[in-house]
Amino acid sequence: MCIRDRSREKINSEIANYNSKSDGGLIAQRSEQFSSTDNKETQRVTANYEGELLNNVPNGKGIRKYADGTVYQGEWKLGMRDGYGILSDSQGNKIYEGDWSRDLQNGEGVMYNNKCDKPEFRHFVNYKDFSDIGNYWLRYEGEFVNGERTGIGTLNFPNGDKFMGSFLKGRINGQGTFTTRNGHISAGEWSNNILVFEF
């Protein structure tokens, strides 16, 4: 899957700078990048946002730290996350990286489950009924609509199994393939997480 490599590399570099420097060093470094041009105002630093502004709201590239400790770094449009960006938890672990629109994940992206159940809790995944997987997944890579996994994607599990196929509003819905860590492939059609037809 292609997630705008150009933006990803630049934003990853800026996140590394954000995490490794004090506010003073980061502010000094970024204020040179965000000098006033055209309709963009000069960079403004507040308690929770640093970056480009338009009409006194985030617009362009910027970093925001939220009350729960999560940090978003990426593109903004009229005060909302819009474009390519990375959301990380308070420890710097990625939660999501990819496309945003109107403050929600929209387009292509990767969602990471930092609260995944321990692998030893489960040795297999019941591909005939995904309803009980709960927090037993590592990463979803694929399409999002309005903040939900919708479209084509791949769901990876801690034991090495994976599902690749169609999702609708966070649930497996449509055709897909389930591949075990040993390479056994089961293909079929699912409805609302339940296998309804196996090819």
Side-chain angles (χ1 to χ4, degrees), residues 11 22 31 50 63-64 82 88 94 96 103 110 124-125 139 143-144 158 161 172 189 199:
I11 290 174
S22 68
S31 58
E50 176 186 353
I63 302 169
R64 171 163 281 166
D82 201 294
S88 303
K94 290 179 185 176
Y96 174 82
D103 241 11
V110 182
F124 71 95
V125 174
R139 185 179 73 251
E143 297 173 315
F144 290 82
D161 295 349
I172 292 172
E189 185 161 347
F199 302 133

Side-chain angles (χ1 to χ4, degrees), residues 101-163:
S101 178
R102 301 181 59 80
D103 241 11
L104 295 170
Q105 297 102 336
N106 273 292
E108 294 182 344
V110 182
M111 182 174 281
Y112 303 88
N113 183 8
N114 298 322
K115 298 179 181 177
C116 179
D117 291 341
K118 301 281 187 205
E120 58 266 23
F121 291 165
R122 191 178 302 186
H123 299 290
F124 71 95
V125 174
N126 179 7
Y127 73 92
K128 294 183 178 182
D129 183 359
F130 286 106
S131 300
D132 67 346
I133 62 171
N135 247 353
Y136 190 72
W137 60 278
L138 284 175
R139 185 179 73 251
Y140 168 83
E141 185 172 355
E143 297 173 315
F144 290 82
V145 175
N146 296 328
E148 295 186 295
R149 297 180 302 218
T150 295
I152 302 301
T154 301
L155 190 63
N156 295 276
F157 299 97
N159 66 353
D161 295 349
K162 68 179 178 180
F163 172 84

Side-chain angles (χ1 to χ4, degrees), residues 39 41 53-57 78:
N39 292 333
E41 302 169 18
L53 299 168
L54 180 64
N55 298 325
N56 212 31
V57 297
L78 302 176

